C-alpha cells in the first residue's frame, strides 16, 4: 500500500510495530493509498540548544521527510488490508486510492504501473539487479547501477507471461508473451500433487529430483549427442519417463520437473525476443519468481544455454513491489516524484529472502509472512560525478564482504563490538538522557538483529560492504531519533578516534605514531614534481575534517549534506570558513573572488559514492572545468574509491587507523597512503 501523510508525528519510536494486525495503524492521515506500498512523512526535532562553550552551533529546524513504505503479503491476508481501507480511507475527502492487478478501487493500467515501478527501482536502488549463480561461492552477483537503464526487456511472469521492450521512461511495448506461466505451474502442480498453495509447491520442487521424471539425452542415446552439442544431462523430454515407467512418481519429483519445464520454456522465449530486438539486458519479475533459487537457476541456465552467454538473466531484489510502486507513482504524478532521488532505508526493510522482524508462532499463524521495504526521499537530486572515467563500471567499495568471508566476519564483529560506544554517544547527544536511554536500547536491539541477519544473509541488501554497514547503523539511529550522535565530538578540538578506549590518545599522539617515509603508498615525490608545473584550473576536495586553497587554483570544498560520525557537515563548514576568513587573508580573498566555493556532496555517510552526488556539485564541477580531485580520509579514500578511475588527476590520502585493514593492504597501524594518479594519455 502507498500513502503520503499530511500531518506530522512527534513520537520518538517511528518503527512499524508488529504483529501485523497493527501494521496499518499509522496511516490515518494518508492522502494517497495504493495497494502494497506506503509513503509517510516523518518529522524530527533537532532544535536542542548546544552548550555555549562549543566552537560553533548548528540549529536545525524541523525537517519533513517523505517515506515510501512497502508491505508485501499473501492474498490470503488481504482482508486485514481491506478492513483498514474500509475503516480509515473510504468516504474521506483527502484520500486517493489506487490499485493495480487483475482484479483491482481506482484501477491503474497494470503494465504501465509495472514499467514505472521497474524504472523507479533500477534508478534509485543501487544493487537492485543481480545475476544468480547457484553453485558459485557467492550466489548473488549484484550489478552496478548503470546511469542509463534503457533499453531493456522485462519478462513479467504472473499467471501468464508478458514480454515488454522498454525504451524510455514512457515508451514501452508488449512484444510477446505466453499463456504458459506461473498460473500454469500452480494449476498443473495442484493437479499433480494435490498441493493448493503456491509456496508449498515451490517447497516440494526444491526437494525433488527431476531426472526421475524427465527423459534426458543420455536416456535416449546412452550419453551425449556430440555432433549436435548436446550433453547427456540435458532434458530431452519433460515428464518423458512417466509415459513408459510402471511406477508412481513422488510429489517432489513431479513439482521439480514441472518447474524446470515452465522455466526453460520461459527462458527460451525470452532469449528469442532479446536476440530479435538486439537487447542484452533481460529482467525477470512477477510472482512466479519469488526469489526462489531453483526458479532463478533454471531460467539463468536456459538463458545462458540458448544465447551462449550473450544475454544476461537479471533478477530484481524488489520485483514483488513493482506494480504497487507504479500505482503510487501514477497517483502522485502532480507531485512529480521522479524529480527526486530516493534511497532504500535499511532499518525498515526486510531484505532479500528474509522475513519481517520476529513474530511469535501464534501471531505468525494468524497473520502469515510480511515483507517490507522502506525508501526515503532525499532532499538533493543525486547524479554521477562527471569526472568518472566509466560510470557504468564504477564500483565505490574497495572490499565486497558478500564474497570475502574472512573480511565479512571481521567487520561484522567490529560493528557489533562498537555498539556499546555508539549507544553512549547517542544518549549523550540528547537533552533528556533518561528518555534517550530507552530509545537507545531499542536502537541497539534492532541494529544487532540486522547484523545477525547479515551474518546468515550477507546479500540481503545487495553487496555487503563497510559502507552499507555504516549506512544501516545510521538508518537505525535515525529511526529512533538519534540523527547526530557525534555532534558533541565535532564541536571539540580535533582528536583521533583510533583508540576510543584510551581517552589520552589524542590528535598529537596520533601524529607521533605516523609512518615515516617511504609510506605504504607513496606518490609524494611525483606530486611535488607536478606542483612545479602549471597550476590546476580547479580542484575538487572531498573533505572530512580539513580544506585547502593555494597556487591560484580554484577550490571547491565538498562536504557532507548531513551528519555522519565526526565528519564536518556543509552547514558547519560554512560557519567555520567564515570564522577562518576573518583571520586568514588567503581564505578571505578566495571567498570574495569566488575562487573558494563550498558545496554539499549530497552524502550523509563517512564513505563516498561518486555515482550518487548532489546535482549542484556535478554542475559546479563542469562549470569550473575541474581537473584535480582530492579525496581524503579512510572512509572516502580507502573503504571506498581506492580503485576509482577518474578522467582527471586525483589524490587519495589517508592514514590507516585500523590494524586489520592495514595488514590486509600490506601495511601496519598508522601507515600512510598518498596515491597520486594521472589518467592514461594525460601524463
Amino acid at each position: 500500500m502507498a500513502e503520503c501523510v499530511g500531518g506530522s508525528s512527534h513520537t520518538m519510536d517511528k518503527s512499524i510495530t508488529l504483529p501485523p494486525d497493527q501494521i496499518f495503524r499509522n496511516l490515518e492521515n494518508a492522502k494517497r493509498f495504493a495497494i502494497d506500498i506506503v509513503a509517510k512523512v516523518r518529522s524530527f526535532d533537532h532544535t536542542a540548544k548546544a552548550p555555549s562553550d562549543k566552537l560553533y552551533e548548528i540549529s536545525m529546524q524541523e525537517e519533513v521527510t517523505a517515506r515510501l513504505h512497502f508491505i508485501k503479503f499473501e492474498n490470503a491476508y488481504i482482508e486485514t488490508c481491506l478492513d483498514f481501507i474500509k475503516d480509515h480511507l473510504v468516504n474521506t475527502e483527502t484520500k486517493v486510492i489506487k490499485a493495480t492487478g487483475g482484479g483491482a478501487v481506482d484501477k491503474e493500467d497494470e503494465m504501465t504501473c509495472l514499467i514505472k515501478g521497474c524504472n523507479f527501482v533500477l534508478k534509485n536502488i543501487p544493487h537492485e539487479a543481480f545475476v544468480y549463480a547457484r553453485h558459485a561461492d557467492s550466489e548473488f552477483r549484484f550489478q552496478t547501477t548503470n546511469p542509463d537503464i534503457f533499453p531493456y526487456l522485462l519478462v513479467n511472469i504472473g499467471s501468464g507471461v508478458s514480454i515488454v521492450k522498454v525504451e524510455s521512461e514512457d515508451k514501452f511495448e508488449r512484444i510477446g508473451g505466453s499463456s504458459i506461466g506461473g498460473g500454469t505451474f500452480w494449476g498443473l502442480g495442484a493437479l499433480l500433487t494435490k498441493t493448493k498453495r503456491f509456496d508449498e509447491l515451490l517447497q516440494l520442487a526444491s526437494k525433488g529430483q527431476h531426472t526421475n521424471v524427465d527423459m534426458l539425452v543420455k536416456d535416449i542415446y546412452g550419453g551425449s549427442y556430440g555432433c549436435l552439442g548436446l550433453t547427456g544431462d540435458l532434458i530431452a523430454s519433460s515428464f518423458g519417463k512417466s509415459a513408459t515407467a510402471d511406477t508412481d512418481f513422488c510429489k517432489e519429483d513431479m513439482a521439480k520437473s514441472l518447474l524446470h519445464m515452465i522455466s526453460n520454456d520461459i527462458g527460451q522465449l525470452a532469449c528469442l525476443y532479446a536476440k530479435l530486438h538486439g537487447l542484452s539486458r533481460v529482467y525477470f519479475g512477477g510472482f512466479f519468481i519469488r526469489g526462489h533459487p531453483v526458479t532463478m537457476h533454471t531460467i539463468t541456465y536456459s538463458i545462458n544455454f540458448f544465447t551462449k552467454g550473450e544475454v544476461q538473466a537479471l533478477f530484481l531484489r524488489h520485483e514483488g513491489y513493482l506494480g504497487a510502486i507504479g500505482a503510487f507513482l501514477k497517483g502522485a504524478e502532480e507531485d512529480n516524484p521522479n524529480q527526486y532521488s530516493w534511497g532504500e532505508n535499511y532499518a525498515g526493510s526486510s531484505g532479500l529472502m528474509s522475513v519481517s522482524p520476529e513474530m511469535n508462532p501464534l501471531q505468525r499463524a494468524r497473520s502469515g509472512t510480511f515483507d517490507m521495504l522502506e525508501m526515503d526521499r532525499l532532499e538533493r537530486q543525486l547524479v554521477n560525478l562527471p569526472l568518472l572515467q566509466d560510470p557504468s563500471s564504477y564500483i565505490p567499495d574497495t572490499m565486497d564482504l558478500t564474497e570475502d568471508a574472512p573480511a565479512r566476519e571481521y567487520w561484522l564483529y567490529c560493528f557489533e563490538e562498537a555498539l556499546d560506544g555508539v549507544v553512549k554517544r547517542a544518549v549523550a547527544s540528547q537533552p533528556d538522557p533518561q528518555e534517550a536511554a530507552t530509545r537507545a536500547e531499542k536502537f541497539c536491539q534492532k541494529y544487532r538483529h540486522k547484523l545477525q541477519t547479515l551474518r546468515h544473509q550477507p546479500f540481503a541488501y545487495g553487496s555487503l560492504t563497510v559502507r552499507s554497514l555504516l549506512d544501516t547503523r545510521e538508518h537505525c539511529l535515525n529511526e529512533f531519533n538519534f540523527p547526530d550522535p557525534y555532534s558533541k565530538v565535532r564541536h571539540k578540538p580535533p582528536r583521533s578516534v583510533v583508540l576510543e578506549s584510551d581517552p589520552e590518545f589524542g590528535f598529537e599522539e596520533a601524529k607521533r605514531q605516523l609512518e615515516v617515509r617511504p609510506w605504504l603508498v607513496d606518490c609524494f615525490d611525483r606530486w611535488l614534481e607536478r606542483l612545479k608545473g602549471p597550476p590546476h584550473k580547479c580542484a575538487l576536495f572531498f573533505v572530512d575534517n580539513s580544506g585547502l586553497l593555494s597556487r591560484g587554483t580554484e577550490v571547491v570544498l565538498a562536504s557532507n549534506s548531513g551528519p555522519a560520525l565526526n565528519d564536518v557537515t556543509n552547514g558547519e563548514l560554512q560557519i567555520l570558513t567564515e570564522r577562518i576568513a576573518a583571520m586568514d587573508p588567503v581564505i578571505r580573498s578566495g571567498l570574495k573572488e569566488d575562487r573558494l566555493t563550498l558545496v554539499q556532496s549530497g552524502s550523509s555517510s563517512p564513505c563516498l559514492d561518486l555515482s550518487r552526488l548532489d546535482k549542484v556539485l556535478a554542475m559546479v564541477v563542469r562549470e569550473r572545468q575541474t581537473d584535480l580531485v582530492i579525496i581524503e580520509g579512510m572512509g572516502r579514500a580507502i573503504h571506498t574509491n581506492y580503485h576509482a578511475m577518474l578522467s582527471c588527476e586525483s589524490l587519495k590520502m589517508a592514514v590507516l587507523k585500523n590494524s586489520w585493514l592495514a595488514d590486509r593492504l600490506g601495511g601496519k597501524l598508522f601507515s600512510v597512503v598518498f596515491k597520486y594518479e594521472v589518467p592514461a594519455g594525460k601524463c
Side-chain angles (χ1 to χ4, degrees):
M1 61 206 73
E3 52 105 4
C4 186
V5 175
S8 62
S9 166
H10 294 275
T11 55
M12 291 299 188
D13 180 358
K14 294 174 288 296
S15 61
I16 299 295
T17 303
L18 295 176
D21 56 1
Q22 300 176 19
I23 213 162
F24 306 117
R25 64 185 171 84
N26 293 322
L27 312 184
E28 282 84 354
N29 296 319
K31 289 181 182 176
R32 297 185 183 88
F33 191 94
I35 300 303
D36 281 356
I37 155 176
V38 181
K40 187 167 104 166
V41 168
R42 300 209 168 174
S43 61
F44 304 95
D45 184 6
H46 300 158
T47 56
K49 297 212 171 187
S52 58
D53 60 345
K54 288 186 178 180
L55 294 176
Y56 49 85
E57 180 177 328
I58 300 293
S59 178
M60 298 179 66
Q61 296 187 358
E62 183 182 88
E63 61 186 56
V64 178
T65 302
R67 170 163 295 175
L68 298 178
H69 189 109
F70 305 73
I71 306 168
K72 185 173 67 175
F73 50 88
E74 295 179 26
N75 286 347
Y77 307 103
I78 193 68
E79 288 188 10
T80 304
C81 176
L82 294 178
D83 286 344
F84 169 80
I85 295 173
K86 175 184 173 184
D87 295 340
H88 299 285
L89 297 176
V90 175
N91 298 323
T92 60
E93 295 181 0
T94 60
K95 305 298 189 298
V96 176
I97 303 175
K98 295 288 183 180
T100 187
V105 201
D106 182 0
K107 184 178 176 181
E108 293 290 351
D109 177 69
E110 182 178 6
M111 196 54 62
T112 300
C113 292
L114 193 71
I115 300 303
K116 281 186 173 291
C118 191
N119 293 341
F120 184 84
V121 297
L122 288 174
K123 288 189 300 182
N124 287 287
I125 304 183
H127 300 157
E128 172 62 28
F130 62 89
V131 172
Y132 185 73
R134 188 180 185 189
H135 301 298
D137 291 338
S138 178
E139 290 179 90
F140 299 86
R141 296 177 180 171
F142 294 96
Q143 306 297 291
T144 55
T145 303
N146 194 315
D148 186 6
I149 64 173
F150 306 109
Y152 66 85
L153 199 69
L154 177 63
V155 182
N156 186 53
I157 315 171
S159 300
V161 179
S162 286
I163 299 177
V164 185
K165 179 183 178 182
V166 185
E167 298 183 74
S168 68
E169 193 69 50
D170 299 307
K171 185 179 180 182
F172 62 87
E173 177 188 5
R174 186 184 188 274
I175 56 175
S178 171
S179 62
I180 301 174
T184 313
F185 173 69
W186 199 348
L188 283 177
L191 291 173
L192 290 168
T193 68
K194 309 304 179 188
T195 300
K196 297 296 184 181
R197 292 177 65 87
F198 190 84
D199 284 332
E200 289 179 12
L201 201 55
L202 286 175
Q203 194 65 29
L204 285 175
S206 67
K207 299 174 182 176
Q209 179 55 260
H210 76 97
T211 55
N212 292 333
V213 181
D214 294 340
M215 187 176 291
L216 308 182
V217 169
K218 65 184 177 183
D219 294 325
I220 301 174
Y221 299 103
S224 62
Y225 196 160
C227 66
L228 293 181
L230 304 177
T231 64
D233 291 328
L234 278 179
I235 299 173
S237 175
S238 295
F239 288 91
K241 290 179 180 176
S242 62
T244 57
D246 188 18
T247 182
D248 292 329
F249 297 98
C250 71
K251 294 179 179 180
E252 291 82 0
D253 293 347
M254 289 190 291
K256 183 68 163 286
S257 176
L258 182 61
L259 184 62
H260 273 284
M261 181 181 76
I262 292 173
S263 298
N264 279 325
D265 183 66
I266 294 170
Q268 184 176 23
L269 197 61
C271 286
L272 293 172
Y273 278 106
K275 296 188 80 170
L276 182 64
H277 291 269
L279 300 172
S280 60
R281 286 177 289 187
V282 182
Y283 297 102
F284 290 86
F287 83 85
F288 179 68
I289 304 293
R290 304 289 287 272
H292 193 267
V294 176
T295 309
M296 293 190 296
H297 171 69
T298 308
I299 289 175
T300 299
Y301 181 87
S302 176
I303 291 280
N304 289 338
F305 178 81
F306 289 113
T307 70
K308 295 180 171 55
E310 293 178 5
V311 175
Q312 269 195 324
L314 295 163
F315 303 93
L316 302 172
R317 285 202 290 130
H318 302 106
E319 54 87 16
Y321 300 106
L322 302 186
I325 297 174
F328 172 76
L329 294 174
K330 283 283 290 178
E333 282 180 338
E334 65 268 29
D335 295 330
N336 194 10
N338 280 318
Q339 71 178 314
Y340 303 102
S341 292
W342 299 76
E344 182 175 4
N345 187 310
Y346 300 139
S349 299
S350 305
L352 186 65
M353 291 183 68
S354 67
V355 297
S356 54
E358 289 298 317
M359 294 185 283
N360 66 50
L362 179 61
Q363 291 167 341
R364 187 177 297 280
R366 284 173 51 218
S367 304
T369 296
F370 285 73
D371 281 319
M372 294 184 291
L373 163 68
E374 284 190 353
M375 294 186 68
D376 290 336
R377 192 184 75 192
L378 309 178
E379 296 308 312
R380 319 292 295 183
Q381 190 170 359
L382 304 183
V383 297
N384 283 301
L385 177 69
L387 298 172
L388 283 173
Q389 243 182 48
D390 180 11
S392 64
S393 63
Y394 167 69
I395 300 175
D397 304 285
T398 304
M399 206 174 296
D400 187 344
L401 308 184
T402 318
E403 299 182 357
D404 191 333
R408 177 170 71 245
E409 190 54 42
Y410 170 76
W411 285 110
L412 287 171
Y413 169 80
C414 273
F415 277 87
E416 190 157 13
E417 283 292 295
L419 255 178
D420 288 343
V422 175
V423 167
K424 289 178 182 176
R425 290 197 184 281
V427 172
S429 70
Q430 301 292 295
D432 184 351
Q434 185 173 359
E435 182 274 336
T438 303
R439 286 185 283 122
E441 180 58 31
K442 292 180 181 179
F443 150 73
C444 187
Q445 291 174 0
K446 181 148 198 172
Y447 188 59
R448 183 171 278 116
H449 174 75
K450 292 287 181 184
L451 294 176
Q452 291 169 353
T453 298
L454 291 168
R455 275 198 170 86
H456 301 292
Q457 296 166 194
F459 47 78
Y461 302 108
S463 293
L464 181 64
T465 64
V466 172
R467 177 168 61 98
S468 69
L469 287 170
L470 286 164
D471 287 345
T472 304
R473 189 170 71 184
E474 292 300 312
H475 295 171
C476 290
L477 283 164
N478 274 300
E479 178 173 353
F480 295 100
N481 208 30
F482 295 108
D484 193 4
Y486 278 75
S487 56
K488 292 186 176 181
V489 176
R490 290 201 305 278
H491 299 162
K492 294 178 180 178
R495 298 185 63 84
S496 171
V497 295
V498 182
L499 302 174
E500 291 198 34
S501 59
D502 182 2
E504 299 303 316
F505 194 89
F507 186 65
E508 294 300 324
E509 290 81 1
K511 283 201 300 182
R512 286 193 286 270
Q513 295 288 337
L514 285 178
E515 176 186 30
V516 297
R517 295 191 65 198
W519 297 322
L520 176 63
V521 178
D522 196 339
C523 302
F524 191 58
D525 290 335
R526 284 182 57 215
W527 173 244
L528 290 178
E529 193 64 27
R530 169 63 183 87
L531 290 179
K532 296 176 183 177
H536 296 87
K537 181 171 181 57
C538 180
L540 169 62
F541 194 164
F542 289 99
V543 301
D544 64 8
N545 297 338
S546 56
L548 68 82
L549 186 67
S550 62
R551 284 171 37 94
T553 299
E554 293 181 18
V555 175
V556 177
L557 291 182
S559 52
N560 271 6
S561 299
L565 299 183
N566 64 336
D567 294 347
V568 68
T569 65
N570 183 258
E572 293 165 337
L573 190 59
Q574 297 277 357
I575 295 171
L576 286 171
T577 305
E578 288 177 8
R579 293 195 174 187
I580 294 171
M583 301 179 284
D584 187 289
V586 176
I587 299 296
R588 187 164 58 251
S589 65
L591 288 172
K592 185 177 180 181
E593 297 166 11
D594 198 28
R595 290 185 297 106
L596 174 60
T597 306
L598 278 59
V599 184
Q600 52 185 306
S601 67
S603 172
S604 298
S605 169
C607 299
L608 180 64
D609 182 352
L610 296 177
S611 69
R612 289 174 68 81
L613 295 179
D614 192 322
K615 188 176 182 179
V616 173
L617 173 59
M619 182 182 67
V620 170
V621 165
R622 287 194 188 93
E623 290 177 348
R624 300 291 176 102
Q625 300 177 39
T626 301
D627 52 358
L628 172 65
V629 174
I630 302 172
I631 307 174
E632 61 102 4
M634 219 168 74
R636 291 167 178 77
I638 304 296
H639 288 308
T640 52
N641 298 304
Y642 190 69
H643 300 301
M645 302 295 291
L646 302 178
S647 60
C648 68
E649 296 174 52
S650 64
L651 277 176
K652 299 167 186 176
M653 305 177 292
V655 176
L656 301 182
K657 297 178 287 187
N658 176 281
S659 57
W660 183 91
L661 181 60
D663 183 67
R664 174 62 77 93
L665 294 176
K668 57 184 180 180
L669 194 64
F670 300 114
S671 287
V672 175
V673 171
F674 190 95
K675 196 176 185 183
Y676 171 53
E677 294 175 310
V678 181
K682 293 191 178 182
C683 297

